[in-house]
Amino acid sequence: MHRRKATGQVHLRWRAAGAGARAGHIPWGAIDAYFAQLPGALREWYERIHRRVIELNRRELEARLALRHACK
């Protein structure tokens, strides 16, 4: 989970575990290539979870905007 200091927005991001060049956050644009390396069932699970992450990020943004509008 990542929180932007300027807006307070919270969003989920993928992170590669471990140390070295492959560790760290995985950019959204590179995620499909990352998942393609995985075996079938594991790849499908990550792809399903990824779609859920995108949905949760979208819902968080909508809720934050609705709250800002309601406070005005």
Side-chain angles (χ1 to χ4, degrees):
M1 183 172 71
H2 175 74
R3 180 179 301 272
R4 291 187 175 146
K5 290 182 182 181
T7 64
Q9 179 184 5
V10 175
H11 63 274
L12 301 172
R13 303 190 318 190
W14 286 110
R15 185 173 182 87
R22 295 188 155 239
H25 289 106
I26 303 168
W28 288 121
I31 204 71
D32 289 329
Y34 186 82
F35 291 157
Q37 302 173 49
L38 303 173
L42 185 58
R43 181 184 64 248
E44 291 170 9
W45 183 86
Y46 272 103
E47 288 170 344
R48 187 172 54 251
I49 297 303
H50 182 63
R51 287 189 299 273
R52 183 69 174 140
V53 164
I54 291 170
E55 173 66 14
L56 289 170
N57 284 343
R58 183 191 62 77
R59 290 175 61 187
E60 188 275 339
L61 177 63
E62 289 174 353
R64 198 166 31 82
L65 292 173
L67 178 61
R68 184 182 308 152
H69 179 71
C71 289
K72 287 184 179 181

